[in-house]
Amino acid sequence: MKATLAPSSLTCLPNPHRTTFRSSPPLWLRPSSASMSTTTARGSVAVTAAAATSLRQGIAEFYNETSGLWEEIWGDHMHHGFYDPNSSLQLSDSGHREAQIRMIEESLRFAGVNGEEEEQRIKRVVDVGCGIGGSSRYLASKFGAECIGITLSPLQAKRANDLSAAQSLSHKVSFQVADALEQPFEDGKFDLVWSMESGEHMPDKAKFVNELARVAAPGGRIIIVTWCHRNLSQGEEALQPWEQNLLDRICKTFYLPAWCSTSDYVNLLQSLSLQDIKCADWSENVAPFWPAVIRTALTWNGLFSLLRSGMKSIKGALTMPLMIEGYKKGVIKFGIITCRKPL
Ligand code: SAH
């Protein structure tokens, strides 16, 4: 059964993007340069099973190859930091690490997971697309909760488990290789469903959101922080060709399928009758991040490590300026979308 929520139950901050339902095919089913898609007999665009398998393999290999380098330079959080937009302060390395922790805290606060009562309710957490487990360990320690992380990369899962053992957290957190689109968990298991910068890798956003909702416990929170493209204006059917071209170039290097907008995510959450749906555009809060990553890559240590790490890392580094361009031109949006599963 599908139901839409009353407009008053949807909040978008700081710039409200009131959701409009489109009659055109959903954006996440559009082809991207990664040859993910095919036109079906009925004319709609679908992701083939073979293309999805090859994407999964590509993602696993990408993170197998690049995670060590990232950890060496940036530590165990593989996501943007959250910054004050108007601060001109030049941050130290530790300042950027703090910004990454702040990203986690701001995300929880935005979703309403704050205050003693709310925090005590969090007993079980799933970290969907967990990297090497930075968020999982942080959340498990903060809430005293059990946390399970899933990733496509065997190397990440092993490293995440090793780091957790070294920090005496193995009784609280564990990691395994599993697909976010077919999670090996029973329905309603988790009080907090956490996806920090993994949604952009998902070739089927509807299935992704469905799985997040399925494994959430009644009353549980879902937090999706992800790369999106801008919302389309009223009457606009697609991004401009130059915008699509920019995203396609990023897709190739970072193993991403077609992108969608925060409004598309909101539509999906609404179609599942989820509650307290909120979204925000945090692009300005993450603006200092990629320039900082590029600066670290351009140090002697960074360059040496890049060369040692391999082609995927080098291509990744060369793609970073495109991320900055995408944000500056307003094509790329750093989105947070949160909601609660009804009791
Ligand atoms: N959330 C982590 C890592 C972000 S990097 C952090 O903030 O540190 C993106 C992660 O998403 C990687 O771990 C990658 O393996 C994972 N991922 C991408 N597609 C996935 C899928 N279909 N199933 C499970 N994990 C996936």
Side-chain angles (χ1 to χ4, degrees):
M1 186 194 69
K2 289 192 174 187
T4 49
L5 298 174
S8 60
S9 59
L10 164 65
T11 325
C12 271
L13 301 168
N15 299 319
H17 304 295
R18 192 42 51 82
T19 302
T20 50
F21 287 90
R22 276 189 315 269
S23 54
S24 55
L27 292 184
W28 51 89
L29 291 183
R30 290 197 182 152
S32 82
S33 68
S35 308
M36 286 292 306
S37 317
T38 184
T39 304
T40 66
R42 285 156 65 208
S44 64
V45 177
V47 175
T48 62
T53 304
S54 124
L55 177 68
R56 274 198 303 274
Q57 268 166 11
I59 293 170
E61 283 163 17
F62 176 74
Y63 286 107
N64 282 345
E65 184 176 313
T66 59
S67 296
L69 170 64
W70 185 270
E71 184 188 352
E72 198 177 308
I73 299 182
W74 276 79
D76 63 350
H77 293 280
M78 307 178 73
H79 58 82
H80 285 68
F82 187 101
Y83 304 86
D84 289 325
N86 298 320
S87 168
S88 55
L89 222 88
Q90 192 67 261
L91 288 175
S92 61
D93 287 357
S94 65
H96 288 292
R97 302 283 182 286
E98 279 165 29
Q100 288 179 308
I101 298 296
R102 186 168 168 203
M103 174 60 75
I104 298 178
E105 286 292 342
E106 295 284 347
S107 302
L108 292 170
R109 197 178 53 79
F110 183 82
V113 186
N114 51 358
E116 210 172 312
E117 198 183 321
E118 261 303 310
E119 292 187 8
Q120 274 173 0
R121 288 186 47 235
I122 310 289
K123 304 268 188 274
R124 284 199 275 202
V125 180
V126 62
D127 184 356
V128 179
C130 60
I132 56 172
S135 292
S136 297
R137 282 182 294 277
Y138 186 83
L139 296 170
S141 303
K142 180 181 173 76
F143 298 125
E146 274 175 33
C147 185
I148 304 179
I150 57 173
T151 169
L152 290 180
S153 153
L155 183 136
Q156 284 191 328
K158 178 172 185 329
R159 183 66 186 144
N161 280 321
D162 289 350
L163 282 171
S164 306
Q167 295 173 28
S168 306
L169 279 171
S170 296
H171 62 298
K172 284 284 181 201
V173 293
S174 65
F175 301 92
Q176 57 188 272
V177 174
D179 189 350
L181 303 184
E182 281 173 32
Q183 297 182 30
F185 309 121
E186 70 261 32
D187 296 1
K189 185 175 165 92
F190 299 103
D191 310 302
L192 177 60
V193 177
W194 177 265
S195 166
M196 175 60 72
E197 296 193 36
S198 64
E200 55 270 26
H201 284 297
M202 307 299 162
D204 186 335
K205 307 294 188 212
K207 204 167 175 196
F208 171 52
V209 167
N210 231 61
E211 275 296 85
L212 301 183
R214 183 184 67 75
V215 299
R221 300 275 176 179
I222 300 173
I223 300 181
I224 304 167
V225 180
T226 186
W227 308 2
C228 291
H229 68 60
R230 68 173 172 84
N231 289 328
L232 297 185
S233 331
Q234 200 81 39
E236 209 182 11
E237 291 291 320
L239 292 173
Q240 300 295 313
W242 70 265
E243 294 177 310
Q244 192 56 54
N245 182 37
L246 177 72
L247 297 188
D248 285 350
R249 286 157 71 202
I250 295 171
C251 286
K252 272 194 189 136
T253 323
F254 290 145
Y255 295 87
L256 305 175
W259 298 40
C260 71
S261 68
T262 46
S263 286
D264 292 325
Y265 270 109
V266 168
N267 283 344
L268 285 172
L269 297 177
Q270 283 182 325
S271 75
L272 296 172
S273 303
L274 294 159
Q275 294 178 337
D276 295 346
I277 301 172
K278 295 201 297 176
C279 66
D281 172 4
W282 282 355
S283 306
E284 285 188 8
N285 299 94
V286 301
F289 181 71
W290 286 105
V293 178
I294 290 174
R295 273 197 302 277
T296 56
L298 290 177
T299 59
W300 284 117
N301 186 22
L303 284 172
F304 179 70
S305 304
L306 251 184
L307 291 174
R308 223 182 27 188
S309 175
M311 261 331 274
K312 287 190 168 50
S313 300
I314 294 170
K315 281 188 185 161
L318 293 174
T319 304
M320 290 172 193
L322 294 180
M323 290 297 294
I324 298 176
E325 188 185 339
Y327 278 125
K328 281 205 173 130
K329 294 187 170 163
V331 189
I332 300 180
K333 296 289 177 185
F334 192 84
I336 176 162
I337 309 102
T338 67
C339 65
R340 198 162 50 80
K341 186 163 168 176
L343 280 170

mmCIF file of all heavy atoms in Angstrom, residues 56 59-60 63 67 70 76-80 127-135 150-153 156 178-181 194-203, ligand 1:
data_model
loop_
_atom_site.group_PDB
_atom_site.id
_atom_site.type_symbol
_atom_site.label_atom_id
_atom_site.label_comp_id
_atom_site.label_asym_id
_atom_site.label_seq_id
_atom_site.Cartn_x
_atom_site.Cartn_y
_atom_site.Cartn_z
ATOM 1 N N ARG A 56 29.260 -3.597 -8.539
ATOM 2 C CA ARG A 56 29.630 -4.083 -7.197
ATOM 3 C C ARG A 56 31.102 -4.476 -7.154
ATOM 4 O O ARG A 56 31.817 -4.142 -6.217
ATOM 5 C CB ARG A 56 28.770 -5.289 -6.799
ATOM 6 C CG ARG A 56 27.453 -4.924 -6.151
ATOM 7 C CD ARG A 56 26.845 -6.104 -5.402
ATOM 8 N NE ARG A 56 26.640 -7.264 -6.262
ATOM 9 C CZ ARG A 56 25.548 -7.441 -7.015
ATOM 10 N NH1 ARG A 56 24.579 -6.566 -7.015
ATOM 11 N NH2 ARG A 56 25.429 -8.510 -7.779
ATOM 12 N N ILE A 59 33.275 -1.365 -7.220
ATOM 13 C CA ILE A 59 33.282 -0.662 -5.923
ATOM 14 C C ILE A 59 34.201 -1.398 -4.943
ATOM 15 O O ILE A 59 35.020 -0.792 -4.247
ATOM 16 C CB ILE A 59 31.845 -0.569 -5.348
ATOM 17 C CG1 ILE A 59 30.983 0.348 -6.220
ATOM 18 C CG2 ILE A 59 31.866 -0.069 -3.908
ATOM 19 C CD1 ILE A 59 29.493 0.319 -5.890
ATOM 20 N N ALA A 60 34.060 -2.728 -4.911
ATOM 21 C CA ALA A 60 34.890 -3.521 -3.985
ATOM 22 C C ALA A 60 36.372 -3.311 -4.300
ATOM 23 O O ALA A 60 37.187 -3.048 -3.406
ATOM 24 C CB ALA A 60 34.520 -5.001 -4.084
ATOM 25 N N TYR A 63 37.625 0.249 -3.315
ATOM 26 C CA TYR A 63 37.898 0.457 -1.882
ATOM 27 C C TYR A 63 38.992 -0.470 -1.364
ATOM 28 O O TYR A 63 39.716 -0.105 -0.440
ATOM 29 C CB TYR A 63 36.605 0.344 -1.067
ATOM 30 C CG TYR A 63 35.742 1.574 -1.259
ATOM 31 C CD1 TYR A 63 34.580 1.529 -2.024
ATOM 32 C CD2 TYR A 63 36.121 2.810 -0.719
ATOM 33 C CE1 TYR A 63 33.815 2.672 -2.232
ATOM 34 C CE2 TYR A 63 35.355 3.947 -0.924
ATOM 35 C CZ TYR A 63 34.211 3.876 -1.673
ATOM 36 O OH TYR A 63 33.462 5.014 -1.883
ATOM 37 N N SER A 67 41.540 2.306 0.248
ATOM 38 C CA SER A 67 41.234 2.564 1.664
ATOM 39 C C SER A 67 42.484 2.757 2.513
ATOM 40 O O SER A 67 42.488 3.563 3.453
ATOM 41 C CB SER A 67 40.387 1.422 2.247
ATOM 42 O OG SER A 67 39.150 1.381 1.590
ATOM 43 N N TRP A 70 43.765 6.276 2.102
ATOM 44 C CA TRP A 70 42.892 7.231 2.795
ATOM 45 C C TRP A 70 43.149 7.188 4.310
ATOM 46 O O TRP A 70 43.296 8.217 4.966
ATOM 47 C CB TRP A 70 41.414 6.921 2.499
ATOM 48 C CG TRP A 70 40.520 7.962 3.091
ATOM 49 C CD1 TRP A 70 39.978 7.942 4.346
ATOM 50 C CD2 TRP A 70 40.117 9.202 2.512
ATOM 51 N NE1 TRP A 70 39.249 9.074 4.577
ATOM 52 C CE2 TRP A 70 39.319 9.873 3.461
ATOM 53 C CE3 TRP A 70 40.347 9.809 1.272
ATOM 54 C CZ2 TRP A 70 38.751 11.125 3.215
ATOM 55 C CZ3 TRP A 70 39.776 11.053 1.030
ATOM 56 C CH2 TRP A 70 38.999 11.693 1.990
ATOM 57 N N ASP A 76 40.186 7.055 9.966
ATOM 58 C CA ASP A 76 39.192 6.012 9.706
ATOM 59 C C ASP A 76 37.815 6.538 9.303
ATOM 60 O O ASP A 76 36.880 5.755 9.133
ATOM 61 C CB ASP A 76 39.076 5.038 10.892
ATOM 62 C CG ASP A 76 38.603 5.711 12.164
ATOM 63 O OD1 ASP A 76 38.545 6.949 12.207
ATOM 64 O OD2 ASP A 76 38.282 4.983 13.120
ATOM 65 N N HIS A 77 37.650 7.846 9.138
ATOM 66 C CA HIS A 77 36.375 8.384 8.635
ATOM 67 C C HIS A 77 36.534 8.734 7.163
ATOM 68 O O HIS A 77 37.320 9.619 6.819
ATOM 69 C CB HIS A 77 35.956 9.622 9.426
ATOM 70 C CG HIS A 77 35.614 9.299 10.843
ATOM 71 N ND1 HIS A 77 34.388 8.777 11.206
ATOM 72 C CD2 HIS A 77 36.345 9.385 11.981
ATOM 73 C CE1 HIS A 77 34.380 8.572 12.514
ATOM 74 N NE2 HIS A 77 35.554 8.924 13.013
ATOM 75 N N MET A 78 35.772 8.023 6.317
ATOM 76 C CA MET A 78 35.919 8.250 4.867
ATOM 77 C C MET A 78 34.759 9.096 4.373
ATOM 78 O O MET A 78 34.029 8.702 3.459
ATOM 79 C CB MET A 78 35.942 6.897 4.150
ATOM 80 C CG MET A 78 36.990 5.956 4.724
ATOM 81 S SD MET A 78 36.991 4.356 3.919
ATOM 82 C CE MET A 78 37.724 4.785 2.374
ATOM 83 N N HIS A 79 34.557 10.235 5.017
ATOM 84 C CA HIS A 79 33.449 11.094 4.599
ATOM 85 C C HIS A 79 33.812 12.560 4.803
ATOM 86 O O HIS A 79 34.793 12.883 5.469
ATOM 87 C CB HIS A 79 32.176 10.734 5.376
ATOM 88 C CG HIS A 79 32.304 10.845 6.867
ATOM 89 N ND1 HIS A 79 32.171 12.040 7.539
ATOM 90 C CD2 HIS A 79 32.570 9.923 7.823
ATOM 91 C CE1 HIS A 79 32.329 11.836 8.827
ATOM 92 N NE2 HIS A 79 32.586 10.567 9.038
ATOM 93 N N HIS A 80 32.980 13.441 4.234
ATOM 94 C CA HIS A 80 33.208 14.884 4.338
ATOM 95 C C HIS A 80 33.199 15.332 5.807
ATOM 96 O O HIS A 80 32.567 14.705 6.653
ATOM 97 C CB HIS A 80 32.066 15.659 3.668
ATOM 98 C CG HIS A 80 32.066 15.660 2.167
ATOM 99 N ND1 HIS A 80 31.820 14.550 1.413
ATOM 100 C CD2 HIS A 80 32.247 16.682 1.287
ATOM 101 C CE1 HIS A 80 31.846 14.882 0.116
ATOM 102 N NE2 HIS A 80 32.111 16.165 0.017
ATOM 103 N N ASP A 127 25.390 0.126 10.092
ATOM 104 C CA ASP A 127 26.166 1.124 9.352
ATOM 105 C C ASP A 127 26.262 0.611 7.910
ATOM 106 O O ASP A 127 27.055 -0.288 7.606
ATOM 107 C CB ASP A 127 27.541 1.246 10.020
ATOM 108 C CG ASP A 127 28.408 2.336 9.399
ATOM 109 O OD1 ASP A 127 27.977 2.940 8.403
ATOM 110 O OD2 ASP A 127 29.515 2.559 9.933
ATOM 111 N N VAL A 128 25.420 1.160 7.063
ATOM 112 C CA VAL A 128 25.279 0.642 5.692
ATOM 113 C C VAL A 128 26.302 1.330 4.776
ATOM 114 O O VAL A 128 26.180 2.515 4.490
ATOM 115 C CB VAL A 128 23.838 0.895 5.188
ATOM 116 C CG1 VAL A 128 23.676 0.377 3.761
ATOM 117 C CG2 VAL A 128 22.825 0.241 6.112
ATOM 118 N N GLY A 129 27.287 0.565 4.330
ATOM 119 C CA GLY A 129 28.407 1.151 3.586
ATOM 120 C C GLY A 129 29.374 1.743 4.587
ATOM 121 O O GLY A 129 29.568 2.947 4.669
ATOM 122 N N CYS A 130 30.013 0.841 5.363
ATOM 123 C CA CYS A 130 30.676 1.259 6.612
ATOM 124 C C CYS A 130 32.124 1.688 6.455
ATOM 125 O O CYS A 130 32.741 2.131 7.420
ATOM 126 C CB CYS A 130 30.613 0.106 7.609
ATOM 127 S SG CYS A 130 31.443 -1.376 6.995
ATOM 128 N N GLY A 131 32.700 1.557 5.244
ATOM 129 C CA GLY A 131 34.122 1.882 5.117
ATOM 130 C C GLY A 131 34.939 1.028 6.067
ATOM 131 O O GLY A 131 34.724 -0.182 6.192
ATOM 132 N N ILE A 132 35.869 1.648 6.784
ATOM 133 C CA ILE A 132 36.665 0.878 7.753
ATOM 134 C C ILE A 132 36.144 1.113 9.171
ATOM 135 O O ILE A 132 36.842 0.919 10.153
ATOM 136 C CB ILE A 132 38.178 1.153 7.630
ATOM 137 C CG1 ILE A 132 38.488 2.654 7.762
ATOM 138 C CG2 ILE A 132 38.709 0.614 6.308
ATOM 139 C CD1 ILE A 132 39.995 2.937 7.849
ATOM 140 N N GLY A 133 34.879 1.529 9.254
ATOM 141 C CA GLY A 133 34.168 1.449 10.532
ATOM 142 C C GLY A 133 34.267 2.657 11.447
ATOM 143 O O GLY A 133 33.910 2.557 12.628
ATOM 144 N N GLY A 134 34.719 3.793 10.921
ATOM 145 C CA GLY A 134 34.840 4.988 11.771
ATOM 146 C C GLY A 134 33.520 5.361 12.435
ATOM 147 O O GLY A 134 33.447 5.559 13.650
ATOM 148 N N SER A 135 32.452 5.429 11.645
ATOM 149 C CA SER A 135 31.140 5.793 12.218
ATOM 150 C C SER A 135 30.670 4.732 13.201
ATOM 151 O O SER A 135 30.151 5.062 14.275
ATOM 152 C CB SER A 135 30.073 5.911 11.116
ATOM 153 O OG SER A 135 30.309 6.992 10.281
ATOM 154 N N ILE A 150 28.279 -3.000 7.189
ATOM 155 C CA ILE A 150 28.418 -3.790 5.961
ATOM 156 C C ILE A 150 29.097 -2.952 4.874
ATOM 157 O O ILE A 150 28.900 -1.751 4.779
ATOM 158 C CB ILE A 150 27.065 -4.349 5.440
ATOM 159 C CG1 ILE A 150 26.038 -3.235 5.190
ATOM 160 C CG2 ILE A 150 26.504 -5.377 6.396
ATOM 161 C CD1 ILE A 150 24.760 -3.733 4.506
ATOM 162 N N THR A 151 29.907 -3.636 4.105
ATOM 163 C CA THR A 151 30.656 -3.005 3.006
ATOM 164 C C THR A 151 30.801 -4.029 1.889
ATOM 165 O O THR A 151 30.694 -5.237 2.130
ATOM 166 C CB THR A 151 32.055 -2.551 3.484
ATOM 167 O OG1 THR A 151 32.854 -2.185 2.349
ATOM 168 C CG2 THR A 151 32.808 -3.641 4.238
ATOM 169 N N LEU A 152 31.090 -3.566 0.679
ATOM 170 C CA LEU A 152 31.352 -4.511 -0.413
ATOM 171 C C LEU A 152 32.817 -4.934 -0.437
ATOM 172 O O LEU A 152 33.174 -5.892 -1.100
ATOM 173 C CB LEU A 152 30.995 -3.866 -1.757
ATOM 174 C CG LEU A 152 29.504 -3.646 -2.032
ATOM 175 C CD1 LEU A 152 29.325 -2.991 -3.407
ATOM 176 C CD2 LEU A 152 28.720 -4.956 -1.976
ATOM 177 N N SER A 153 33.654 -4.215 0.292
ATOM 178 C CA SER A 153 35.093 -4.460 0.193
ATOM 179 C C SER A 153 35.582 -5.397 1.314
ATOM 180 O O SER A 153 35.527 -5.045 2.487
ATOM 181 C CB SER A 153 35.829 -3.111 0.281
ATOM 182 O OG SER A 153 37.127 -3.277 0.795
ATOM 183 N N GLN A 156 38.141 -3.742 3.502
ATOM 184 C CA GLN A 156 37.587 -2.806 4.493
ATOM 185 C C GLN A 156 37.000 -3.554 5.687
ATOM 186 O O GLN A 156 37.210 -3.164 6.836
ATOM 187 C CB GLN A 156 36.485 -1.950 3.858
ATOM 188 C CG GLN A 156 36.989 -0.844 2.957
ATOM 189 C CD GLN A 156 35.885 0.123 2.565
ATOM 190 O OE1 GLN A 156 34.718 -0.263 2.436
ATOM 191 N NE2 GLN A 156 36.246 1.381 2.350
ATOM 192 N N ALA A 178 28.643 -7.468 2.724
ATOM 193 C CA ALA A 178 27.237 -7.711 2.358
ATOM 194 C C ALA A 178 26.753 -6.557 1.495
ATOM 195 O O ALA A 178 27.303 -5.452 1.543
ATOM 196 C CB ALA A 178 26.376 -7.831 3.610
ATOM 197 N N ASP A 179 25.715 -6.852 0.710
ATOM 198 C CA ASP A 179 25.171 -5.846 -0.208
ATOM 199 C C ASP A 179 24.043 -5.073 0.480
ATOM 200 O O ASP A 179 23.095 -5.677 0.991
ATOM 201 C CB ASP A 179 24.641 -6.570 -1.461
ATOM 202 C CG ASP A 179 24.248 -5.602 -2.565
ATOM 203 O OD1 ASP A 179 24.196 -4.376 -2.309
ATOM 204 O OD2 ASP A 179 23.980 -6.080 -3.689
ATOM 205 N N ALA A 180 24.144 -3.764 0.450
ATOM 206 C CA ALA A 180 23.113 -2.898 1.043
ATOM 207 C C ALA A 180 21.746 -3.129 0.416
ATOM 208 O O ALA A 180 20.723 -2.843 1.024
ATOM 209 C CB ALA A 180 23.518 -1.439 0.863
ATOM 210 N N LEU A 181 21.748 -3.644 -0.821
ATOM 211 C CA LEU A 181 20.471 -3.853 -1.504
ATOM 212 C C LEU A 181 19.841 -5.200 -1.161
ATOM 213 O O LEU A 181 18.697 -5.467 -1.534
ATOM 214 C CB LEU A 181 20.658 -3.748 -3.033
ATOM 215 C CG LEU A 181 21.249 -2.433 -3.538
ATOM 216 C CD1 LEU A 181 21.290 -2.401 -5.057
ATOM 217 C CD2 LEU A 181 20.458 -1.240 -3.021
ATOM 218 N N TRP A 194 22.026 3.791 9.572
ATOM 219 C CA TRP A 194 22.978 4.864 9.277
ATOM 220 C C TRP A 194 23.613 4.617 7.918
ATOM 221 O O TRP A 194 24.227 3.567 7.693
ATOM 222 C CB TRP A 194 24.043 4.843 10.381
ATOM 223 C CG TRP A 194 25.174 5.806 10.267
ATOM 224 C CD1 TRP A 194 26.403 5.573 9.727
ATOM 225 C CD2 TRP A 194 25.192 7.159 10.744
ATOM 226 N NE1 TRP A 194 27.182 6.703 9.841
ATOM 227 C CE2 TRP A 194 26.465 7.684 10.471
ATOM 228 C CE3 TRP A 194 24.255 7.974 11.386
ATOM 229 C CZ2 TRP A 194 26.829 8.994 10.803
ATOM 230 C CZ3 TRP A 194 24.612 9.263 11.729
ATOM 231 C CH2 TRP A 194 25.887 9.764 11.440
ATOM 232 N N SER A 195 23.477 5.578 7.018
ATOM 233 C CA SER A 195 24.177 5.455 5.730
ATOM 234 C C SER A 195 24.919 6.760 5.463
ATOM 235 O O SER A 195 24.327 7.752 5.029
ATOM 236 C CB SER A 195 23.179 5.171 4.605
ATOM 237 O OG SER A 195 23.800 5.380 3.353
ATOM 238 N N MET A 196 26.209 6.748 5.723
ATOM 239 C CA MET A 196 27.034 7.954 5.542
ATOM 240 C C MET A 196 27.813 7.834 4.232
ATOM 241 O O MET A 196 28.751 7.031 4.118
ATOM 242 C CB MET A 196 27.980 8.092 6.742
ATOM 243 C CG MET A 196 28.995 9.226 6.653
ATOM 244 S SD MET A 196 28.291 10.874 6.515
ATOM 245 C CE MET A 196 27.629 11.168 8.136
ATOM 246 N N GLU A 197 27.407 8.558 3.228
ATOM 247 C CA GLU A 197 28.090 8.616 1.938
ATOM 248 C C GLU A 197 28.279 7.242 1.293
ATOM 249 O O GLU A 197 29.377 6.884 0.872
ATOM 250 C CB GLU A 197 29.431 9.354 2.077
ATOM 251 C CG GLU A 197 29.222 10.815 2.473
ATOM 252 C CD GLU A 197 30.453 11.687 2.321
ATOM 253 O OE1 GLU A 197 31.223 11.486 1.376
ATOM 254 O OE2 GLU A 197 30.643 12.572 3.173
ATOM 255 N N SER A 198 27.196 6.474 1.297
ATOM 256 C CA SER A 198 27.209 5.236 0.522
ATOM 257 C C SER A 198 26.082 5.227 -0.512
ATOM 258 O O SER A 198 26.176 4.542 -1.529
ATOM 259 C CB SER A 198 27.113 4.004 1.431
ATOM 260 O OG SER A 198 25.883 3.979 2.127
ATOM 261 N N GLY A 199 25.028 5.997 -0.276
ATOM 262 C CA GLY A 199 23.863 6.006 -1.173
ATOM 263 C C GLY A 199 24.222 6.310 -2.616
ATOM 264 O O GLY A 199 23.605 5.775 -3.545
ATOM 265 N N GLU A 200 25.244 7.135 -2.805
ATOM 266 C CA GLU A 200 25.614 7.507 -4.184
ATOM 267 C C GLU A 200 26.106 6.302 -4.990
ATOM 268 O O GLU A 200 26.125 6.337 -6.216
ATOM 269 C CB GLU A 200 26.669 8.635 -4.177
ATOM 270 C CG GLU A 200 27.932 8.384 -3.378
ATOM 271 C CD GLU A 200 27.812 8.848 -1.919
ATOM 272 O OE1 GLU A 200 26.682 8.902 -1.401
ATOM 273 O OE2 GLU A 200 28.857 9.125 -1.302
ATOM 274 N N HIS A 201 26.513 5.230 -4.301
ATOM 275 C CA HIS A 201 26.980 4.030 -5.014
ATOM 276 C C HIS A 201 25.831 3.095 -5.415
ATOM 277 O O HIS A 201 26.067 2.114 -6.101
ATOM 278 C CB HIS A 201 27.915 3.214 -4.109
ATOM 279 C CG HIS A 201 29.296 3.789 -3.976
ATOM 280 N ND1 HIS A 201 30.154 3.913 -5.037
ATOM 281 C CD2 HIS A 201 29.963 4.246 -2.892
ATOM 282 C CE1 HIS A 201 31.303 4.427 -4.615
ATOM 283 N NE2 HIS A 201 31.204 4.649 -3.316
ATOM 284 N N MET A 202 24.633 3.350 -4.936
ATOM 285 C CA MET A 202 23.549 2.371 -5.105
ATOM 286 C C MET A 202 22.875 2.517 -6.469
ATOM 287 O O MET A 202 22.324 3.564 -6.787
ATOM 288 C CB MET A 202 22.491 2.528 -3.999
ATOM 289 C CG MET A 202 23.051 2.485 -2.601
ATOM 290 S SD MET A 202 23.876 0.922 -2.245
ATOM 291 C CE MET A 202 24.855 1.398 -0.801
ATOM 292 N N PRO A 203 22.886 1.439 -7.275
ATOM 293 C CA PRO A 203 22.320 1.527 -8.623
ATOM 294 C C PRO A 203 20.793 1.539 -8.620
ATOM 295 O O PRO A 203 20.183 1.910 -9.609
ATOM 296 C CB PRO A 203 22.848 0.269 -9.314
ATOM 297 C CG PRO A 203 23.162 -0.678 -8.212
ATOM 298 C CD PRO A 203 23.523 0.140 -7.020
HETATM 299 N N1 SAH B 1 30.410 5.319 5.596
HETATM 300 C C1 SAH B 1 31.835 5.174 5.590
HETATM 301 C C2 SAH B 1 32.427 4.879 4.216
HETATM 302 C C3 SAH B 1 31.976 5.731 3.044
HETATM 303 S S1 SAH B 1 32.738 5.159 1.526
HETATM 304 C C4 SAH B 1 32.474 6.373 6.238
HETATM 305 O O1 SAH B 1 31.814 7.413 6.337
HETATM 306 O O2 SAH B 1 33.625 6.279 6.666
HETATM 307 C C5 SAH B 1 31.418 4.233 0.760
HETATM 308 C C6 SAH B 1 31.200 2.860 1.355
HETATM 309 O O3 SAH B 1 29.999 2.328 0.780
HETATM 310 C C7 SAH B 1 32.269 1.821 1.104
HETATM 311 O O4 SAH B 1 32.538 1.141 2.288
HETATM 312 C C8 SAH B 1 31.615 0.852 0.102
HETATM 313 O O5 SAH B 1 32.072 -0.487 0.189
HETATM 314 C C9 SAH B 1 30.193 0.948 0.545
HETATM 315 N N2 SAH B 1 29.208 0.479 -0.446
HETATM 316 C C10 SAH B 1 28.991 0.937 -1.684
HETATM 317 N N3 SAH B 1 28.024 0.229 -2.279
HETATM 318 C C11 SAH B 1 27.618 -0.706 -1.397
HETATM 319 C C12 SAH B 1 26.652 -1.745 -1.415
HETATM 320 N N4 SAH B 1 25.879 -1.986 -2.480
HETATM 321 N N5 SAH B 1 26.523 -2.514 -0.313
HETATM 322 C C13 SAH B 1 27.283 -2.307 0.794
HETATM 323 N N6 SAH B 1 28.220 -1.349 0.862
HETATM 324 C C14 SAH B 1 28.373 -0.547 -0.214
#
